[in-house]
């Protein structure tokens, strides 16, 4: 495995930039989410209604993987998808406007937080757990039939690995040797159900063996480790050697969704999550090894804060869609 | 002794009392244990009955809903929660090809006392995969009973009836009626509920407001929109009768026919999609039975579009009091 020192500095800075941007974005969005939702929490009130699943603590998974992806590669995410969207390059302004339900959003306000679609960057996600896996298989089929070299990444949580779709898709991708990377983002929880009570094996990466494909488990506390593992899997897929499974161990810093009382979660678990912060860990590593200076990081931070603020301003100042839009667009090729 | 309960507490109380009465009753589903169900329908059950009878499951709906069939075939009376009805797709084969048909296909040898309870409804911007009603889709399948309470009294009584029924019952609760702290609910939905167990018969509609000029048929949250509309209409001298169907299968066709015979006008309010659904079934019932209407019937339903996310878009398509008032005025 490559050492930190062997990776070009601009790559390291880019990794840091994306991780920090995601964190800044998620924490800022959370502030906006609670506007007009206090003193009494009302899920339908405020500028961002509906559910909100944030990804703070899981940035390393998205960035470590997406650093190797090109716009034409597909990434299919889950209900918790902002980090992957940002890491994949989705337009932050349009994404934010979508989350605020505005006409200028990615889908004109029809999709919303759990249903972000950006065809330009081949990004999509959905609110149905386990839906991503077979869909990525289809992208892999297309790549093979068209003789093109893009790959598909399907993301799911540790909970999603218990859906039938996961197992069916792994088998299909394996028998057809498709350029698909299955990513299990293991934060130990499926809402309130801990992984050890829902999953018969301790590591989802072991399930790859059942389908004859490589399965690797990697510590998401270390974004460089994720970066390296993803690099290998994605290069392998590009070389036509077939699918692989990557399990990334991360920690959920917030509730399952915003407003989650988390009464099921032991305090120690939340404490552990805070200690396992991949962003702080990476920052510390970069500084300790003298690879970057505080000033360099501060500059990145300022840029990110500015970019996130611009995205929020864009969303807030955008108009809502015309109500009649609701009736349009059910079918392609007309109303 | 009756006390006012929110719907979620009425449901969990019904389940608890049936679990005490009958050791064959048990519950399975995602987050139904320590969390108490995302919408609170199983709150307190884990503490009372332990993890053997209150089983948190992996996100494997096909497996645990299919497992309900196996358990029922051995004399158990499983209750399974499908967290949002929108997720039915991942488990539908077990529901419609197996649980619904086992009794019939086995020539009556097998009974399926399974309750599938599930959350439905929108109005809070949860978008196209978390806001649907879809009861019409299940009501279309022979072999499934469909109940949809609109208040806590019916919620408890229908749950007890569902558990005691030897057939599969799909129990739909509207998120916006549960009385959860974080989701607004009409205060009218939390009514007095007796402490002791009781049943509300499956298949009986209820006239929730009497009137002479028009019949408004609804279920779940739309019952309140209809009642609020009726109140306003009364101020203008229009007397509306409101029927809460409470059960879609079997459907209380007599209640609909009797009312329409009296009023001669029909409006159906449906938060489910418009085409091929509950609204069409109610109107067909009237037409097939030759009841003559003064004017053609009207349906106010979710237009045939996926549920949009943005609040302005969702409000535009969601049936509500104003739309009902306008519709009634066009036919009177
Ligand atoms: C098919 C389906 N079943 C259940 C749900 C409800 N649900 C949404 S997220 C979630 C937990 C997901 O856990 P995991 O896959 O580990 O992802 P995480 O939320 O931890 O990122 C559940 C049960 C759903 N959206 N889709």
């Amino acid at each position: 495995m490559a050492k930190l020192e062997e990776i070009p500095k601009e790559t390291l800075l880019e990794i840091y930039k994306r991780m920090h941007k995601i964190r800044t974005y998620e924490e800022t969005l959370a502030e906006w989410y609670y506007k007009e939702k206090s003193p009494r929490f009302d899920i339908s009130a405020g500028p961002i209604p509906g559910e909100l699943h944030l990804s703070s603590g899981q940035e390393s998974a998205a960035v470590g993987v997406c650093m190797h992806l090109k716009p034409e590669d597909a990434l299919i995410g889950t209900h918790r998808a902002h980090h992957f969207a940002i890491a994949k390059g989705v337009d932050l302004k349009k994404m934010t406007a979508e989350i605020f339900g505005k006409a200028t959003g990615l889908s004109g306000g029809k999709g919303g937080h759990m249903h972000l679609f950006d065809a330009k960057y081949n990004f999509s996600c959905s609110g149905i757990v386990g839906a991503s896996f077979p869909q990525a298989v289809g992208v892999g089929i297309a790549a093979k039939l068209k003789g093109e070299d893009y790959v598909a990444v399907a993301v799911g949580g540790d909970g999603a690995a218990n859906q039938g779709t996961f197992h069916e898709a792994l088998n299909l991708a394996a028998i057809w040797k498709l350029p698909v990377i299955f990513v299990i983002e293991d934060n130990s929880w499926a809402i309130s159900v801990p992984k050890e009570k829902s999953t018969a094996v301790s590591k989802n990466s072991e399930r790859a063996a059942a389908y004859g494909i490589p399965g690797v488990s990697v510590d998401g506390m270390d974004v460089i480790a994720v970066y390296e593992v993803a690099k290998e899997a994605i290069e392998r897929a590009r070389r036509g050697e077939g699918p692989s499974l990557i399990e990334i161990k991360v920690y959920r810093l917030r509730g399952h969704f915003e407003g989650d009382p988390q009464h099921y979660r032991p305090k120690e678990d939340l404490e552990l999550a805070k200690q396992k912060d991949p962003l702080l860990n990476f920052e510390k590593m970069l500084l300790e090894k003298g690879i970057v200076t505080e000033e360099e990081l501060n500059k990145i931070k300022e840029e990110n804060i500015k970019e996130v603020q611009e995205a929020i301003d864009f969303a807030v100042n955008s108009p809502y869609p015309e109500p009649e839009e609701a009736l349009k667009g059910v079918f392609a090729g007309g109303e | 002794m009756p006390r006012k309960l929110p719907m979620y507490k009425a449901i969990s109380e019904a389940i608890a009392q049936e679990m005490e009465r009958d050791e064959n009753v048990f519950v399975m589903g995602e987050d139904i244990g320590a969390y108490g169900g995302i919408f609170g329908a199983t709150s307190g059950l884990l503490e009372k009955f332990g993890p053997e009878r209150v089983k948190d499951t992996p996100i494997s709906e096909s497996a645990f809903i299919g497992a309900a069939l196996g358990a029922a075939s051995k004399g158990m009376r499983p209750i399974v929660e499908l967290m949002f009805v929108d997720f039915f797709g991942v488990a539908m084969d077990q529901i419609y090809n197996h649980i619904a048909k086992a009794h019939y296909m086995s020539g009556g040898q097998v009974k399926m006392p399974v309750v599938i309870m599930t959350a439905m409804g929108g109005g809070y911007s949860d978008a196209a995969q978390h806001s649907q009603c879809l009861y019409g889709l299940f009501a279309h399948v022979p072999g499934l009973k469909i109940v949809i309470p609109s208040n806590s009294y019916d919620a408890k009584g229908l749950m007890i009836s569902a558990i005691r029924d030897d057939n599969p019952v799909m129990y739909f609760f509207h998120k916006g009626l549960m009385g959860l702290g974080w989701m607004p609910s009409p205060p009218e939905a939390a009514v007095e509920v007796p402490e002791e167990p009781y049943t509300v018969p499956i298949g009986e509609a209820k006239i929730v407001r009497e009137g002479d000029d028009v019949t408004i048929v609804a279920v779940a949250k739309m019952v309140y929109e209809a009642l609020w509309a009726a109140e306003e209409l009364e101020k203008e001298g229009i007397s509306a009768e409101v029927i809460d169907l409470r059960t879609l299968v079997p459907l209380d066709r007599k209640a609909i026919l009797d009312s329409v015979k009296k009023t001669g006008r029909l409006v159906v309010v449906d938060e489910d999609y418009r085409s091929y659904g509950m609204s069409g079934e109610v109107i067909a019932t009237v037409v097939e039975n030759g009841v003559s209407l003064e004017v053609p019937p009207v349906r106010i339903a979710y237009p045939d579009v996926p549920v949009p996310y943005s609040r302005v878009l969702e409000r535009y398509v969601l049936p509500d009091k104003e739309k009902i008032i306008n519709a009634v005025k066009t036919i009177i």
Side-chain angles (χ1 to χ4, degrees):
Chain A
M1 189 146 302
K3 288 207 209 78
L4 204 57
E5 293 82 354
E6 292 164 17
I7 298 174
K9 182 170 169 183
E10 63 267 32
T11 306
L12 295 173
L13 287 179
E14 180 61 24
I15 291 174
Y16 181 80
K17 184 179 167 93
R18 291 194 203 179
M19 284 176 77
H20 180 268
K21 192 195 294 183
I22 293 165
R23 179 70 59 88
T24 306
Y25 186 75
E26 296 290 62
E27 302 296 319
T28 310
L29 212 57
E31 283 171 28
W32 278 87
Y33 186 70
Y34 289 105
K35 279 190 208 275
E36 294 166 44
K37 282 190 173 72
S38 66
R40 204 185 130 261
F41 181 79
D42 170 355
I43 191 167
S44 63
I48 307 176
E51 284 176 81
L52 190 67
H53 310 81
L54 298 179
S55 61
S56 299
Q58 307 189 184
E59 297 86 355
S60 55
V63 177
V65 171
C66 291
M67 281 297 291
H68 307 288
L69 298 181
K70 298 178 281 187
E72 57 272 29
D73 296 321
L75 192 133
I76 307 177
T78 72
H79 56 285
R80 194 184 307 287
H82 299 169
H83 52 331
F84 277 95
I86 294 171
K88 184 74 173 55
V90 169
D91 185 306
L92 202 62
K93 285 186 175 162
K94 286 189 189 168
M95 170 174 153
T96 311
E98 186 63 28
I99 295 169
F100 278 73
K102 297 297 181 81
T104 51
L106 288 167
S107 310
K110 282 180 175 156
H113 144 76
M114 274 188 279
H115 320 101
L116 301 169
F117 292 84
D118 189 341
K120 189 166 153 205
Y121 289 96
N122 288 283
F123 180 87
S124 66
C125 59
S126 90
I128 303 297
V129 169
S132 60
F133 308 119
Q135 297 169 5
V137 167
V139 174
I141 293 173
K144 254 196 143 165
L145 290 180
K146 285 174 178 267
E148 292 174 1
D149 77 344
Y150 49 80
V151 301
V153 177
V155 184
D158 50 288
N162 293 314
Q163 276 286 318
T165 48
F166 173 72
H167 300 274
E168 295 181 22
L170 252 64
N171 188 50
L172 269 188
I175 56 171
W176 293 336
K177 259 194 162 204
L178 299 174
V180 181
I181 296 91
F182 298 97
V183 171
I184 294 297
E185 221 186 344
D186 174 4
N187 62 13
S188 307
W189 294 94
I191 310 187
S192 70
V193 181
K195 191 182 86 186
E196 71 266 17
K197 291 207 176 141
S198 71
T199 307
V201 291
S202 65
K203 287 187 168 167
N204 271 304
S205 54
E206 289 168 12
R207 288 174 155 175
Y211 305 101
I213 65 172
V216 197
S217 187
V218 55
D219 180 1
M221 169 76 162
D222 180 358
V223 66
I224 297 304
V226 179
Y227 174 87
E228 290 295 329
V229 162
K231 181 169 186 249
E232 196 166 319
I234 292 167
E235 281 177 359
R236 186 183 132 84
R238 287 201 207 284
R239 287 195 304 266
E241 290 169 24
S244 26
L245 172 64
I246 303 173
E247 175 192 55
I248 307 171
K249 180 76 198 95
V250 290
Y251 293 84
R252 203 181 77 191
L253 277 176
R254 309 183 68 95
H256 170 74
F257 32 53
E258 293 308 300
D260 178 356
Q262 295 207 75
H263 48 51
Y264 53 83
R265 189 175 186 182
K267 279 215 171 55
E268 311 82 74
D269 188 72
L270 196 55
E271 280 309 310
L272 181 68
K274 284 185 191 142
Q275 287 162 27
K276 297 281 189 177
D277 187 321
L279 177 64
L280 295 184
N281 187 46
F282 188 48
E283 188 171 320
K284 206 170 116 219
M285 269 194 336
L286 290 176
L287 289 171
E288 275 177 3
K289 301 216 170 185
I291 297 171
V292 299
T293 62
E294 293 262 12
E295 291 70 53
E296 282 172 307
L297 293 189
N298 284 342
K299 190 162 160 277
I300 290 175
K301 287 181 190 175
E302 276 164 30
E303 282 166 13
N304 281 337
I305 291 169
K306 189 161 163 274
E307 190 184 341
V308 167
Q309 195 50 50
E310 280 169 6
I312 299 270
D313 290 345
F314 175 76
V316 170
N317 296 324
S318 288
Y320 283 102
E322 290 302 322
E324 300 78 26
E325 264 303 309
L327 300 177
K328 297 178 189 160
V330 178
F331 294 108
E335 293 296 273
Chain B
M1 221 185 53
R3 60 271 102 111
K4 275 195 180 174
L5 284 188
M7 227 166 88
Y8 83 90
K9 280 199 179 148
I11 296 172
S12 56
E13 182 171 285
I15 298 173
Q17 288 177 345
E18 285 304 287
M19 287 182 78
E20 265 154 25
R21 192 186 63 84
D22 182 350
E23 60 188 21
N24 292 315
V25 178
F26 72 103
V27 195
M28 288 190 279
E30 291 147 20
D31 305 282
I32 60 138
Y35 201 107
I38 296 300
F39 301 102
T42 54
S43 50
L45 296 181
L46 178 69
E47 291 79 354
K48 273 200 193 102
F49 301 101
E52 288 292 321
R53 291 181 74 197
V54 181
K55 292 182 179 303
D56 260 337
T57 62
I59 314 173
S60 307
E61 291 88 352
S62 189
F64 72 77
I65 295 181
L69 179 148
S73 75
K74 284 296 196 181
M76 304 297 290
R77 306 188 86 83
I79 302 167
V80 290
E81 180 169 288
L82 176 63
M83 192 187 291
F84 288 65
V85 69
D86 314 67
F87 309 158
F88 80 85
V90 296
M92 192 59 169
D93 184 56
Q94 294 297 333
I95 300 172
Y96 89 115
N97 262 329
H98 301 276
I99 291 173
K101 296 172 181 167
H103 181 73
Y104 185 84
M105 293 196 300
S106 70
Q109 298 174 75
V110 180
K111 288 197 182 101
M112 275 299 124
V114 174
V115 179
I116 302 175
M117 66 171 168
T118 187
M120 68 172 207
Y124 63 106
S125 295
D126 224 11
Q129 297 175 338
H130 284 76
S131 305
Q132 301 166 99
C133 287
L134 299 177
Y135 40 70
L137 207 143
F138 292 92
H140 188 64
V141 174
L144 297 173
K145 294 190 178 179
I146 310 289
V147 300
I148 313 176
S150 67
N151 61 59
S152 48
Y153 179 89
D154 288 350
K156 179 170 174 181
L158 281 170
M159 178 50 86
I160 293 179
S161 295
I163 295 169
R164 295 182 188 176
D165 201 296
D166 278 338
N167 296 287
V169 179
M170 302 260 327
Y171 183 105
F172 287 77
F173 52 78
H174 196 294
K175 291 161 232 166
L177 294 179
M178 291 294 264
L180 302 159
W182 47 279
M183 193 175 286
S185 174
E188 296 98 311
V191 295
E192 290 200 342
V193 177
E195 266 174 29
E196 58 282 2
Y198 61 92
T199 57
V200 166
I202 294 177
E204 265 184 31
K206 190 174 173 201
I207 296 174
V208 288
R209 181 190 173 101
E210 299 210 15
D212 301 315
D213 299 331
V214 58
T215 298
I216 308 177
V217 175
V219 289
K221 204 169 171 200
M222 291 303 129
V223 170
Y224 298 100
E225 299 289 346
L227 284 169
W228 298 330
E231 262 171 47
E232 305 245 326
L233 288 164
E234 190 176 76
K235 291 180 200 148
E236 303 185 31
I238 299 169
S239 157
E241 178 144 304
V242 179
I243 300 182
D244 176 358
L245 289 177
R246 300 197 292 190
T247 304
L248 292 193
V249 180
L251 180 61
D252 188 349
R253 298 183 199 269
K254 184 168 178 300
I256 300 167
L257 294 171
D258 287 348
S259 176
V260 174
K261 275 178 202 157
K262 182 172 74 171
T263 63
R265 290 183 176 86
L266 174 62
V267 172
V268 189
V269 190
D270 193 358
E271 197 185 323
D272 199 356
Y273 301 120
R274 176 185 169 98
S275 299
Y276 304 96
M278 181 270 260
S279 61
E281 188 62 30
V282 170
I283 290 169
T285 298
V286 172
V287 175
E288 277 179 339
N289 284 279
V291 177
S292 58
L293 293 167
E294 313 244 342
V295 282
V298 178
R299 27 183 182 163
I300 305 165
Y302 218 100
D304 298 322
V305 302
V307 182
Y309 167 78
S310 184
R311 190 182 289 137
V312 287
L313 300 176
E314 188 182 17
R315 285 222 178 118
Y316 183 73
V317 280
L318 204 55
D320 64 11
K321 179 181 91 172
E322 301 306 326
K323 290 178 187 139
I324 300 169
I325 293 172
N326 291 337
V328 169
K329 285 187 183 166
T330 60
I331 61 167
I332 285 193

